[in-house]
Amino acid sequence: EQIIAEAPDINEIDATPSGYMSTVLDAKGNVTAQLVGTGSNRVYVTLDEIPEELQKAFVAIEDERFYDHNGIDLRGIVRAGIKGVTTGHFSEGASTITQQLLKNNVFDGWTTENSSQRVKRKLQEQYLALQLEKKVSKDWIMENYLNTINLGQNTLGVQAASRRYFGKDVSELNLSECSVIAGITQNPSKYNPISHPEDNAVRREKVLTNMRDQGYIDDVQYEAAMQDNVYDRIQETNTKWQSSDSNAT
């Protein structure tokens, strides 16, 4: 009870992302510089600009009962507890997308917390997730989540990541590209598709398999996405990005 009493007030928290990239234009409207502060390479997009396949990819890999639960996933918590007891590892946290949104935008310092601080934060996170879902819609949570998450290469949110990895707006992503991006978020360093394409490929296959198993895509879509040479395009885009970066400096 004490831990819950010390939780932030749901009416006073701000679960929306902060920090954006500033673009400097010349008189003709051409981009002359990108001003990116620490943790601010983010370009906000509304949910209707984000492909449904990308939304479903994140649900499939991060929180398969997102549209059914009320903020916390009791089945996932039980599963994680059983796995912890049987393996001795309690790292699988059954964190819902709602909880992840709160963790990233409300709770500062979670990357350096000790085990007791982590337990306290997780309990407060679960409590606030239940409160938040009474106030806002699933679409609101999804939109803010997809604009919040760290996706490697100093990108925050799916629009900045789409431009960085594929050189195009998030609205233009195909299923294969969506699965690459959804695969990054669990570990943005390990699953970085530029520096660790093999690791991302394993995670991407898991995203696509989950999407198929959960009924979001069929076998034909799954096979077509798996056959796509997406990592070649990512390397090509990265070469262009580095070239334009060096020309700008």
Side-chain angles (χ1 to χ4, degrees):
E1 288 185 13
Q2 181 67 28
I3 289 174
I4 298 304
E6 293 173 1
D9 187 323
I10 188 64
N11 295 309
E12 295 177 4
I13 66 170
D14 182 4
T16 60
S18 61
Y20 295 89
M21 177 168 56
S22 297
T23 304
V24 179
L25 306 177
D26 64 16
K28 295 180 180 177
N30 299 313
V31 176
T32 58
Q34 301 277 22
L35 305 179
V36 182
T38 302
S40 63
N41 186 6
R42 188 197 320 276
V43 181
Y44 199 93
V45 281
T46 55
L47 199 63
D48 61 355
E49 299 173 87
I50 301 170
E52 194 168 322
E53 285 179 335
L54 184 59
Q55 299 174 45
K56 297 299 189 283
F58 275 100
V59 170
I61 195 66
E62 290 294 317
D63 184 4
E64 64 178 282
R65 285 176 285 279
F66 173 68
Y67 292 107
D68 301 318
H69 65 60
N70 60 353
I72 61 174
D73 181 5
L74 291 175
R75 282 171 62 186
I77 291 169
V78 171
R79 187 192 67 237
I82 292 171
K83 184 174 180 180
V85 169
T86 54
T87 64
H89 298 291
F90 288 87
S91 57
E92 188 183 338
S95 236
T96 63
I97 281 173
T98 314
Q99 287 174 243
Q100 290 180 46
L101 176 66
L102 290 162
K103 179 176 74 172
N104 281 295
N105 291 338
V106 175
F107 291 93
D108 295 326
W110 60 267
T111 54
T112 57
E113 62 196 6
N114 60 35
S115 56
S116 64
Q117 290 170 327
R118 180 175 183 271
V119 170
K120 178 180 178 180
R121 188 256 309 158
K122 287 284 281 187
L123 289 171
Q124 292 182 344
E125 200 180 87
Q126 290 171 352
Y127 167 73
L128 287 177
L130 292 169
Q131 302 303 311
L132 185 63
E133 291 228 5
K134 293 174 186 174
K135 289 187 62 176
V136 300
S137 67
K138 292 286 187 180
D139 281 354
W140 188 96
I141 292 166
M142 179 61 71
E143 180 175 305
N144 282 280
Y145 168 78
L146 291 176
N147 280 288
T148 291
I149 44 181
N150 177 2
L151 292 166
Q153 296 295 133
N154 189 37
T155 64
L156 298 169
V158 293
Q159 176 73 325
S162 179
R163 290 180 177 177
R164 180 64 183 85
Y165 295 121
F166 301 106
K168 59 185 178 182
D169 286 342
V170 66
S171 61
E172 300 174 289
L173 294 179
N174 64 29
L175 173 60
S176 170
E177 294 160 346
C178 288
S179 61
V180 167
I181 287 180
I184 297 170
T185 190
Q186 187 190 55
N187 188 327
S189 175
K190 179 180 180 182
Y191 296 124
N192 182 317
I194 293 172
S195 55
H196 296 95
E198 298 87 357
D199 289 324
N200 182 276
V202 172
R203 187 74 176 163
R204 170 176 166 268
E205 183 174 359
K206 173 71 171 164
V207 172
L208 290 167
T209 300
N210 283 14
M211 291 183 77
R212 182 182 61 184
D213 292 349
Q214 293 169 34
Y216 294 129
I217 60 174
D218 58 27
D219 288 341
V220 174
Q221 291 169 298
Y222 173 88
E223 291 299 340
M226 284 297 294
Q227 296 301 318
D228 180 31
N229 60 346
V230 64
Y231 297 101
D232 290 350
R233 294 200 303 282
I234 289 171
Q235 292 301 336
E236 287 170 15
T237 303
N238 187 48
T239 301
K240 291 176 188 171
W241 186 280
Q242 290 175 327
S243 173
S244 64
D245 239 19
S246 60
N247 290 339
T249 53

